[in-house]
Amino acid sequence: MSRRRLEEALLRSTALESSGESVDEASDDEECGRYAELLVRHRVPLAKDLHSIFSLCFSPGGKQLAVGFGNGAIQIVHVESGGLGATLFSGHRTRQATTSLSFHPVNSNILVGAGADGLVSFYDIKSALNVLTLTEPENEIHALDFSMDSSVFATAGRDRHIRIYDGQTNEILNFLMAPDFLMDDDLTLTSGHTRRIFALRFHPSERHVFVTGGWDNSIKVWDKRMAKEARSLISGPHICGPGIDIWDNHILSGSWVATNALQLWDLRSSSLIQDIPFPAPVLQGEFLYAARFCTEHVVLAGGSGTCSARTINLQTQEVFGEVSLCNKAVQAVDAAPGGQVVAVGGVGGNLHIAELC
């Protein structure tokens, strides 16, 4: 029954997609120097803010923003007006945080939320119905993402395993098992993670490639066609939230460390391209939870050190904008398609929607 409801929702969303949401794009020359500041357009008061914001995700057209909370609630916000849309789940004191949100890449009327209670929930936004729920017993899911062609989606979290699901049947296609310490599994550089995973991102243009990161001070690059081991390893980043993103052959990482928290890596060689300055007082440190590309040359990152999110030009290393949560940690950031509109949320702070100008 639930699968049929999901199929019906996907069919309905096809009609919605036909109306289209356009995204303006600029040439590289225009984009390199066109942004000079970051202006907050909306401070959105949300009644659920006491439970903190744990996840943010813009729709493929950038007109809607999904917000996930510590009590499992999921709220849709209209980006242009800052007004509230559908409440997909109102939350409950027995539920845990919605830690990851992802719009279906092809059918933007479908939103998928994953949580620390091990649930993967599919929502039809137009009808505000939960059309399907999957369960990962004894796991806390911290990350979920779709491949660029929506053929698969993957989850990862506390149990360190990576589950790859069929995007059509929602059944597990591959189970990338983490090392079993009780069984004395041999550890290699390309073995699975040794501590919990907090971030997972598919490559935006290579449908087989995705990356993961977590507490074991590493980012692993995977090819979903490989049965067991990672393709390569990046050593160093201490990932404690949605702190990984990909643009072309570059990986952005935001680590929960005092210095050199924001870094740019080469996906092909696993080598460090640059440490990206994230100015912070010595006694506060940087301590980043979240990081996203806005454009090829502009990134957004935030955390608990400065309790703010900042936009930074990779070429000039200039910080040209900041959204402060007033001594409350930033736990989630996202950039809309096109990179001009961004969202920032975190502990006890109202949602901020800002624009690069």
Side-chain angles (χ1 to χ4, degrees):
M1 176 66 72
S2 59
R3 181 168 294 160
R4 186 169 72 248
R5 291 172 67 187
L6 177 59
E7 291 171 351
E8 291 171 350
L10 289 170
L11 289 173
R12 284 197 303 272
S13 67
T14 302
L16 293 177
E17 290 297 319
S18 65
S19 62
E21 292 184 27
S22 62
V23 177
D24 293 332
E25 295 184 357
S27 68
D28 288 343
D29 290 339
E30 291 174 333
E31 184 248 298
C32 287
R34 65 173 174 163
Y35 297 129
E37 58 183 332
L38 180 67
L39 297 179
V40 174
R41 296 303 188 192
H42 302 291
R43 293 178 175 87
V44 185
L46 297 171
K48 305 173 186 67
D49 273 350
L50 291 177
H51 301 283
S52 298
I53 294 172
F54 280 79
S55 50
L56 295 169
C57 186
F58 281 99
S59 66
K63 292 185 177 181
Q64 295 179 309
L65 176 69
V67 185
F69 295 88
N71 66 344
I74 301 176
Q75 177 73 53
I76 298 296
V77 175
H78 298 301
V79 173
E80 185 174 353
S81 66
L84 302 187
T87 299
L88 301 181
F89 180 58
S90 58
H92 194 273
R93 60 182 176 81
T94 62
R95 291 289 298 271
Q96 297 187 48
T98 295
T99 51
S100 188
L101 292 164
S102 184
F103 280 88
H104 194 283
V106 177
N107 301 284
S108 62
N109 188 51
I110 299 297
L111 177 72
V112 184
D117 43 15
L119 300 180
V120 180
S121 300
F122 291 71
Y123 294 92
D124 180 319
I125 296 174
K126 186 176 181 181
S127 65
L129 290 176
N130 178 193
V131 295
L132 177 68
T133 297
L134 308 174
T135 303
E136 296 183 1
E138 300 182 5
N139 190 25
E140 295 177 9
I141 304 173
H142 297 307
L144 177 149
D145 198 23
F146 275 91
S147 63
M148 48 83 68
D149 63 353
S150 75
S151 61
V152 300
F153 63 93
T155 63
R158 186 187 67 177
D159 68 7
R160 303 176 289 117
H161 305 313
I162 300 169
R163 296 164 176 84
I164 300 176
Y165 291 82
D166 187 291
Q168 295 294 321
T169 66
N170 303 307
E171 296 178 351
I172 294 177
L173 287 176
N174 196 3
F175 190 90
L176 299 172
M177 188 171 293
D180 189 336
F181 301 117
L182 296 179
M183 298 296 292
D184 293 325
D185 282 357
D186 291 333
L187 291 179
T188 67
L189 292 178
T190 55
S191 298
H193 287 277
T194 58
R195 301 186 70 184
R196 66 176 63 195
I197 301 168
F198 278 94
L200 184 155
R201 294 288 279 182
F202 270 93
H203 196 286
S205 59
E206 297 183 24
R207 63 191 180 95
H208 297 298
V209 177
F210 66 96
V211 299
T212 56
W215 276 356
D216 61 359
N217 300 326
S218 70
I219 292 175
K220 294 181 185 284
V221 180
W222 304 83
D223 187 315
K224 67 181 179 64
R225 296 168 295 185
M226 297 176 66
K228 185 177 180 181
E229 293 189 333
R231 194 173 77 178
S232 58
L233 167 77
I234 294 173
S235 296
H238 184 66
I239 306 298
C240 296
I244 297 177
D245 204 8
I246 308 175
W247 188 290
D248 194 18
N249 288 313
H250 293 162
I251 296 176
L252 178 70
S253 66
S255 296
W256 202 79
V257 295
T259 60
N260 295 328
L262 193 59
Q263 296 174 305
L264 191 67
W265 306 85
D266 189 299
L267 174 65
R268 298 159 298 185
S269 66
S270 300
S271 60
L272 179 66
I273 297 173
Q274 68 179 106
D275 292 316
I276 305 167
F278 191 93
V282 174
L283 295 180
Q284 290 181 334
E286 299 173 25
F287 296 107
L288 300 178
Y289 283 122
R292 287 288 181 266
F293 280 102
C294 297
T295 69
E296 181 181 4
H297 303 293
V298 177
V299 299
L300 171 71
S304 62
T306 63
C307 294
S308 67
R310 292 171 175 170
T311 47
I312 302 169
N313 187 307
L314 294 179
Q315 294 181 316
T316 66
Q317 299 190 341
E318 174 191 6
V319 177
F320 60 87
E322 181 177 28
V323 175
S324 175
L325 294 191
C326 300
N327 298 318
K328 302 293 185 181
V330 171
Q331 296 185 147
V333 301
D334 199 23
Q340 190 170 357
V341 178
V342 303
V344 178
V347 175
N350 287 333
L351 172 68
H352 290 66
I353 298 174
E355 183 178 1
L356 296 168
C357 301

